[in-house]
Amino acid sequence: MPTGKAEKKDKNLMRDLQIRKLCLNICVGESGDRLTRAAKVLDALTGQTPVYSKARFTVRSFGIRRNEKIAVHCTVRGEKAEKILEKGLRVKEYELYKENFSNTGNFGFGVQEHIDLGIKYDPSIGIYGMDFYIVMGRRGYRVADRKRKRGKVGFKHRVTKEETMKWFQQKYEGILLPGKKK
């Protein structure tokens, strides 16, 4: 039986980190045919119909108008999220920068070409890059999101940057690279 507080924390199932959701995003920067082809890429990867994102304001230098559809994204949860994350990390060779991790314990990275994820290349679609963003959590995080009897997640129960980096190193045997020089 564990005697120290540190040993008790390790045994507690409520303290285990888990992936709450994986957000995949492809920003094309224009509406039309390229955007629908990007949606097909996300559909092939996740098996879900993706959602279109609109521009928040007009940027004349980029040729973007307000409320024009410019990106496509998809949210994946559960086992499917872990499988897709595994593919994405394999492309990055399980190497992430420390800057990829946020203070709230979430992390993200980008992939240059979607064909590296195991999707077959189709000349009619082309090649797209995409962003992966992983939101981490623990059991009991639902109290902050639910409609009825909403509560706060306590400070000690929140996920920190260091805990997520340790989880990444243990679960995926990942390598943390020092930050990029600016």
Side-chain angles (χ1 to χ4, degrees):
M1 186 148 177
T3 55
K5 278 189 176 180
E7 289 180 40
K8 272 188 176 177
K9 270 189 179 176
D10 293 341
K11 301 278 187 230
N12 191 351
L13 286 176
M14 294 290 282
R15 300 280 305 162
D16 289 346
L17 283 179
Q18 47 190 206
I19 298 169
R20 291 184 73 194
K21 63 183 173 181
L22 165 67
C23 303
L24 298 166
N25 180 40
I26 300 177
C27 186
V28 180
E30 62 185 63
S31 59
D33 192 39
R34 281 188 65 209
L35 190 62
T36 54
R37 287 184 286 170
K40 286 180 186 173
V41 169
L42 277 184
D43 191 12
L45 182 63
T46 61
Q48 299 175 197
T49 53
V51 179
Y52 293 95
S53 301
K54 295 178 179 178
R56 289 185 294 161
F57 41 82
T58 303
V59 181
R60 293 190 80 183
S61 57
F62 293 142
I64 297 172
R65 291 186 305 278
R66 187 171 186 269
N67 287 335
E68 180 184 12
K69 292 179 180 177
I70 58 167
V72 64
H73 69 273
C74 196
T75 302
V76 187
R77 299 173 197 271
E79 285 290 318
K80 196 188 293 185
E82 290 183 22
K83 289 177 185 173
I84 296 171
L85 174 61
E86 182 78 38
K87 289 179 185 177
L89 287 173
R90 198 176 308 131
V91 171
K92 297 298 271 185
E93 296 175 351
Y94 299 96
E95 293 180 352
L96 292 178
Y97 289 101
K98 288 184 180 176
E99 293 173 353
N100 290 31
F101 294 84
S102 73
N103 291 333
T104 53
N106 307 322
F107 65 99
F109 58 91
V111 174
Q112 293 288 325
E113 299 177 349
H114 75 273
I115 54 173
D116 295 337
L117 298 169
I119 301 173
K120 205 165 184 186
Y121 174 67
D122 185 1
S124 64
I125 291 178
I127 295 178
Y128 291 94
M130 65 178 66
D131 300 322
F132 283 70
Y133 197 75
I134 297 87
V135 179
M136 300 298 293
R138 289 194 167 102
R139 289 177 173 92
Y141 259 51
R142 183 177 167 267
V143 297
D145 298 332
R146 66 189 179 193
K147 177 109 173 147
R148 188 169 178 268
K149 294 205 174 184
R150 184 173 287 156
K152 290 183 181 176
V153 175
F155 183 74
K156 288 185 177 180
H157 201 62
R158 291 183 190 152
V159 181
T160 63
K161 181 177 186 174
E162 289 74 26
E163 287 173 329
T164 304
M165 291 193 311
K166 186 179 171 187
W167 173 86
F168 169 69
Q169 287 174 319
Q170 286 176 346
K171 181 161 183 174
Y172 295 106
E173 296 172 3
I175 300 163
L176 287 175
L177 302 170
K180 300 175 192 172
K181 294 193 177 172
K182 294 178 181 175

